[in-house]
Amino acid sequence: MSVYQTHRLGADCTAVLWKIEESEEELRAQVTLTVPEQMELVEITHPAQRVEWLACRAALRSLVQSYWPYAGLYKDEYGKPHLIGLKAHVSLSHTSGWAAAVVHHSKAVGIDIEPFREQFVRVVPRVLSDEEISHANGDLHRLAVYWCAKEALYKLYGKRQLTFREHLHVEPFADGEGLLTGHVRLPDDVRELTIHYFETGPGMLAIAY
């Protein structure tokens, strides 16, 4: 097992960060995949992506089985993962060398992990609102917080008719604060959400619920 960190965010929400040290074969032995999951894995051809995909499920299984039997995942029409036979909410994320999973017992949840990278500067115009751009002020750390937080919000919402700039918003924050307020703003759906972020692992970890 390669659980690197566990984050308990209250009684109903727990996340794990998994440092990938196993081979594909070792990870495959740790998880039981449903037939649709097996078919999904077959379609992933890049070796590193296969390992990351499996590590996400190993991380999730390690987390879920602390509470309930783990029977695998299914995806809805938008590709959002759900636990088979359980009402709890889950989300997964991975990047090179790392995987993450979160379970919330009662609320929709989203998780994202990101390394710090210069790409954040290039995508600012299509990701951040004018207010967010002004607050970030070109600072790579703040841009990483915004990017990771919005990815977590996107995964929480779980549908595809929204854009980061227009529909997902993060209120200005103090550096190092660790707790954000986020919003999903659509004509028929307006939500205020809590986002926790941590500097850890590959760079940044964000959890929204």
Side-chain angles (χ1 to χ4, degrees):
M1 182 181 292
S2 296
V3 172
Y4 180 77
Q5 283 180 341
T6 300
H7 296 276
R8 292 183 174 85
L9 307 174
D12 288 343
C13 185
T14 306
V16 293
L17 181 63
W18 182 286
K19 186 175 183 181
I20 303 173
E21 299 172 330
E22 303 87 353
S23 67
E24 179 177 335
E25 292 72 22
E26 290 170 330
L27 286 167
R28 184 65 181 83
Q30 294 186 38
V31 295
T32 300
L33 302 178
T34 64
V35 172
E37 286 180 304
Q38 293 174 35
M39 294 173 64
E40 183 178 348
L41 181 59
V42 167
E43 295 176 356
I44 302 172
T45 58
H46 194 286
Q49 291 178 357
R50 289 173 62 88
V51 167
E52 291 168 18
W53 186 94
L54 285 164
C56 281
R57 280 146 183 84
L60 181 64
R61 179 179 180 274
S62 75
L63 184 53
V64 171
Q65 68 182 7
S66 300
Y67 307 101
W68 316 284
Y70 178 72
L73 292 173
Y74 71 93
K75 290 187 175 180
D76 63 22
E77 68 219 77
Y78 303 104
K80 184 175 182 178
H82 300 269
L83 290 167
I84 294 172
L86 297 170
K87 294 183 178 180
H89 302 266
V90 300
S91 184
L92 306 172
S93 183
H94 60 81
T95 190
S96 179
W98 298 87
V102 62
V103 173
H104 199 295
H105 293 212
S106 58
K107 294 182 180 180
V109 67
I111 193 169
D112 189 58
I113 49 174
E114 300 284 347
F116 292 109
R117 49 189 175 182
E118 294 299 327
Q119 177 191 358
F120 297 140
V121 177
R122 297 197 300 272
V123 300
V124 160
R126 67 177 178 83
V127 172
L128 302 189
S129 67
D130 291 341
E131 180 185 15
E132 291 164 346
I133 290 171
S134 177
H135 175 251
N137 196 31
D139 181 81
L140 184 60
H141 180 275
R142 289 185 180 179
L143 291 172
V145 172
Y146 274 118
W147 175 277
C148 202
K150 289 198 174 194
E151 284 279 4
L153 287 174
Y154 184 85
K155 291 181 178 181
L156 178 153
Y157 188 70
K159 298 178 183 178
R160 294 174 181 158
Q161 72 268 34
L162 48 71
T163 66
F164 279 31
R165 178 177 170 84
E166 295 180 16
H167 303 126
L168 302 178
H169 302 276
V170 177
E171 294 183 10
F173 52 89
D175 293 332
E177 192 171 66
L179 187 64
L180 310 171
T181 300
H183 302 269
V184 175
R185 293 176 179 150
L186 290 161
D188 60 347
D189 192 353
V190 177
R191 310 185 196 185
E192 181 174 298
L193 300 154
T194 297
I195 307 165
H196 295 263
Y197 73 91
F198 308 88
E199 287 190 44
T200 185
M204 190 72 64
L205 168 70
I207 302 155
Y209 57 86

